[in-house]
Amino acid sequence: MQTLSTENYLKAIYHASQSASGTVATTSIANKIGAKPSSVTDMFKKLSDQKLVKYEKYQGVSLTNEGVKTALRIVRKHRLWESFLVSHLNFNWDEVHQVAEQLEHIQSEKLTNELERFLDYPTHDPHGDPIPNRALFMKSYNKILLTELPLNKEGVCVGVKDNSSDFLRYLDRRQIGIGTPILVLHREDFDQSLHIQAGNSTLMITQKTAENIYIKP
Amino acid sequence: MQTLSTENYLKAIYHASQSASGTVATTSIANKIGAKPSSVTDMFKKLSDQKLVKYEKYQGVSLTNEGVKTALRIVRKHRLWESFLVSHLNFNWDEVHQVAEQLEHIQSEKLTNELERFLDYPTHDPHGDPIPNRALFMKSYNKILLTELPLNKEGVCVGVKDNSSDFLRYLDRRQIGIGTPILVLHREDFDQSLHIQAGNSTLMITQKTAENIYIKP
DNA sequence: AATATTTTTTAGACCAATCTAAATTTTATA
DNA sequence: TATAAAATTTAGATTGGTCTAAAAAATATT
Ligand SMILES: [Mn+2]
Ligand SMILES: [Mn+2]
Ligand SMILES: [Mn+2]
Ligand SMILES: [Mn+2]
C-alpha cells in the first residue's frame, strides 16, 4: 500500500521518464515535486526498497514494471477525475488539475471502475491526454507539435504540452481547444510566429504558443 | 488548514457529542478512531491550541463554534459523496462508508458545491442522515426508534442507527430500506421481538434490530 | 473514608516525510 | 587533465502522528 507521498513521486518519475530518455535525475524530480534534492534521495531509497524503482547512487532512477503499473493506476484515476469534473461538475479545463491531484489518491477499485463506466469509458482527458483503461493500456494519437505542421496542411488540436492555467485560459480566449481544426497560413521566418486559421477565425500566435500545442495531422 | 487526522478527530467528536450530552471523553474518541487514549490526549491538546475544542485536563472536550463548523463541513462532504456513490456509481448503501471516509477530505469548495448541484441538492444521505447545506444548516426528521412506535400506527423508515455493513445487508435481505412503510402488528412481551408489516411483507424482527431503525410516525 | 478500579495524562520512543548544512561524486571548463 | 561548478548524497534535526509503559487523577466499591 502506497502513501500519498510515494504515489506523487511515482507519478512524477513516470512523467519525467516519458519526456526524457534514460534515467530520471534527482533534481528533475525535486523541481516537479517542489522538494529539496536531499528529500528526493531519501524517497528514491524507499521506492528502491519497495522494488518500484531501480536506483543506483548518483545515477538517477527508472521505474520497474511494478512501478510503472502503480504510476499508471494513479494517472488513470487523475485523468478520469479530471474528465468527470469537466463533463459533469462545470469545471473549466484549467481548474481541474489541483483537485485531481487529490482525488487520484482515493483507494477504491470499484470507485475507479464505476466512474469510468459512468463517464462511458473516455479515452482522453480534458487536456487530450490518454486515459489508461482497466488493464492500464492506453492509445495515444500520432501527434506532432504545431511548430512542425506543414503550411496549408489541415490538422486538429488534440492536446497541450503546457497544462498551466495561464496557458489554458489564453487558449480559451483564442478559442483554441481540443478538437479545433488548425491550418498554418504563414510562418514568419524572423521570429517563427505563425498566422493560423483556428476554427473560423484567423489569428497570430508566437512560436512559444505553437510549441505547446499538439496536432493530429 | 486541517490535516486528515485532525479532520477525523473533529468529526468523531462531533458525532460523539450528538449522541451524548456534556463533554466527550478521551476513551470514547479512542474507540471511535481506533487509537490509544494517549494519542487522543495529544490530539485534544492540538485541537485546543487551534481553538477548535474546549479542553480541560481530565474533563474531556467540547467543540467550539469554529470546531462545529469544521466538523459540519466534513460531514457535508461525507454525506454528499455517499449520495453520489449510491445514486450514480452503483454502490450499495453498505459499501459507501469506507470510500466516503476518504473523499470527505478533498479540499475544494467548488467541488463540494458543484457535486451538491449535480445531485440536485439532496437533503438526506443513503442512510437517512441529513446533509448540511452550503450554510451548514440541516433539517432532520422528527424521528423515533422502531421500538417506540405504537401498535398499528403507520410509520416510515427514515434512517438507521447502526451503519455497519452487516446490519445494512440484513435489512436489504428483509427488504427494509429508507422509505419503507412500517406497521407494528404485535409486540412480544417475553423478548420484545416485533411482528411487523414492512412494505408488502410481514416479518418478525428482534428488539436489537428494532432499536436500530428510525421511524417517522 | 479508605481502598481498588478505571480513566486520563505524561514521559519517552518510533516512523514517515521533510529540511539545512556539509561532504562527496559527477560533469563541465579552462 | 587539473580545477571549477553542479549534482547528489549523508548527517543530523524537526514535525505530526502514533505507540508503550508508568504516573497521576477521577470514580467506584467496600
Ligand atoms: Mn497527487
Ligand atoms: Mn490532464
Ligand atoms: Mn475520514
Ligand atoms: Mn451516511
Side-chain angles (χ1 to χ4, degrees):
Chain A
M1 186 84 330
Q2 298 311 307
T3 67
L4 187 134
S5 197
T6 56
E7 290 193 343
N8 284 335
Y9 272 88
L10 286 170
K11 193 166 60 110
I13 296 168
Y14 172 79
H15 284 136
S17 54
Q18 293 301 100
S19 45
S21 54
T23 62
V24 174
T26 308
T27 39
S28 82
I29 296 302
N31 292 333
K32 267 212 171 63
I33 297 269
K36 299 296 165 186
S38 55
S39 309
V40 175
T41 299
D42 279 359
M43 187 56 86
F44 280 2
K45 288 178 190 164
K46 281 179 210 163
L47 293 174
S48 180
D49 290 346
Q50 296 185 253
K51 305 238 188 288
L52 294 167
V53 302
K54 195 169 148 294
Y55 169 58
E56 275 178 295
K57 261 198 212 174
Y58 295 101
Q59 300 308 129
V61 289
S62 57
L63 291 171
T64 62
N65 287 348
E66 199 49 44
V68 171
K69 267 196 232 165
T70 309
L72 282 177
R73 275 191 286 265
I74 302 158
V75 168
R76 167 170 161 79
K77 286 188 275 181
H78 186 103
R79 293 179 181 166
L80 283 172
W81 281 115
E82 284 191 345
S83 303
F84 173 64
L85 295 176
V86 167
S87 63
H88 290 83
L89 297 195
N90 296 331
F91 277 65
N92 195 12
W93 68 338
D94 74 289
E95 303 176 297
V96 295
H97 193 77
Q98 184 250 334
V99 184
E101 206 48 53
Q102 301 175 61
L103 286 162
E104 69 189 359
H105 302 289
I106 303 291
Q107 317 256 236
S108 165
E109 274 199 42
K110 171 155 183 157
L111 173 58
T112 309
N113 294 331
E114 287 290 342
L115 182 63
E116 182 185 33
R117 178 201 53 73
F118 174 71
L119 297 172
D120 205 14
Y121 304 94
T123 57
H124 292 79
D125 82 358
H127 310 104
D129 294 313
I131 302 177
N133 67 14
R134 212 164 157 159
L136 302 182
F137 176 78
M138 58 185 161
K139 184 154 83 232
S140 49
Y141 301 123
N142 212 1
K143 67 196 177 192
I144 59 172
L145 290 177
L146 179 46
T147 45
E148 295 154 2
L149 185 64
L151 273 184
N152 293 310
K153 188 154 186 305
E154 175 77 38
V156 177
C157 172
V158 293
V160 288
K161 195 166 166 188
D162 179 351
N163 273 26
S164 70
S165 261
D166 277 354
F167 183 59
L168 297 177
R169 281 204 297 258
Y170 170 72
L171 292 183
D172 281 346
R173 288 196 300 276
R174 286 303 178 91
Q175 305 201 61
I176 299 172
I178 306 298
T180 306
I182 308 263
L183 197 67
V184 179
L185 304 171
H186 175 73
R187 195 178 307 265
E188 188 60 54
D189 275 344
F190 171 61
D191 60 1
Q192 301 298 313
S193 68
L194 300 177
H195 268 95
I196 65 171
Q197 170 117 22
N200 294 324
S201 49
T202 306
L203 43 89
M204 194 274 273
I205 60 173
T206 63
Q207 184 188 20
K208 188 170 172 193
T209 298
E211 64 196 9
N212 280 295
I213 295 178
Y214 288 120
I215 299 291
K216 184 167 77 171
Chain B
M1 186 81 336
Q2 299 310 307
T3 68
L4 187 136
S5 197
T6 56
E7 290 193 344
N8 284 334
Y9 272 89
L10 286 171
K11 193 166 60 111
I13 296 167
Y14 173 80
H15 284 135
S17 55
Q18 292 301 102
S19 44
S21 54
T23 62
V24 174
T26 307
T27 38
S28 82
I29 296 303
N31 292 334
K32 267 212 171 61
I33 298 269
K36 300 294 164 186
S38 55
S39 309
V40 175
T41 301
D42 280 358
M43 187 57 86
F44 281 0
K45 288 178 189 165
K46 282 179 208 164
L47 293 173
S48 180
D49 290 345
Q50 296 184 256
K51 306 237 188 293
L52 293 167
V53 303
K54 194 170 150 295
Y55 169 57
E56 275 178 297
K57 261 198 216 179
Y58 295 99
Q59 301 309 130
V61 289
S62 57
L63 291 171
T64 62
N65 286 348
E66 199 49 44
V68 172
K69 268 196 230 164
T70 308
L72 283 176
R73 275 191 285 265
I74 302 159
V75 168
R76 166 170 161 79
K77 287 187 277 181
H78 186 103
R79 292 178 181 168
L80 283 172
W81 281 115
E82 284 190 345
S83 304
F84 173 65
L85 295 176
V86 167
S87 62
H88 290 84
L89 298 193
N90 296 330
F91 277 65
N92 195 11
W93 68 338
D94 74 292
E95 302 176 299
V96 296
H97 193 78
Q98 184 250 337
V99 185
E101 207 44 55
Q102 301 175 60
L103 285 162
E104 70 190 358
H105 303 288
I106 304 290
Q107 317 256 231
S108 166
E109 274 200 42
K110 171 156 183 156
L111 173 58
T112 309
N113 294 332
E114 286 290 341
L115 182 63
E116 181 185 35
R117 177 201 53 74
F118 174 71
L119 298 173
D120 206 14
Y121 305 94
T123 58
H124 292 78
D125 82 359
H127 311 103
D129 294 313
I131 301 177
N133 68 13
R134 209 164 160 158
L136 303 181
F137 176 79
M138 59 185 163
K139 183 155 85 234
S140 49
Y141 302 122
N142 212 2
K143 66 196 179 193
I144 58 172
L145 289 177
L146 178 48
T147 46
E148 295 154 3
L149 185 65
L151 274 184
N152 294 309
K153 186 153 188 305
E154 175 78 38
V156 177
C157 171
V158 293
V160 289
K161 195 166 167 187
D162 178 349
N163 274 23
S164 71
S165 260
D166 278 353
F167 183 59
L168 297 178
R169 281 204 297 258
Y170 170 72
L171 292 184
D172 281 344
R173 288 196 299 276
R174 287 302 178 94
Q175 304 201 61
I176 300 172
I178 306 298
T180 305
I182 308 261
L183 198 68
V184 179
L185 304 170
H186 176 71
R187 192 178 310 264
E188 188 61 55
D189 275 343
F190 170 60
D191 60 3
Q192 301 299 312
S193 66
L194 301 178
H195 270 93
I196 65 172
Q197 168 116 22
N200 293 323
S201 49
T202 305
L203 43 89
M204 192 275 270
I205 61 174
T206 64
Q207 183 186 24
K208 188 170 172 193
T209 297
E211 64 196 9
N212 280 295
I213 294 177
Y214 288 120
I215 300 289
K216 185 168 76 172

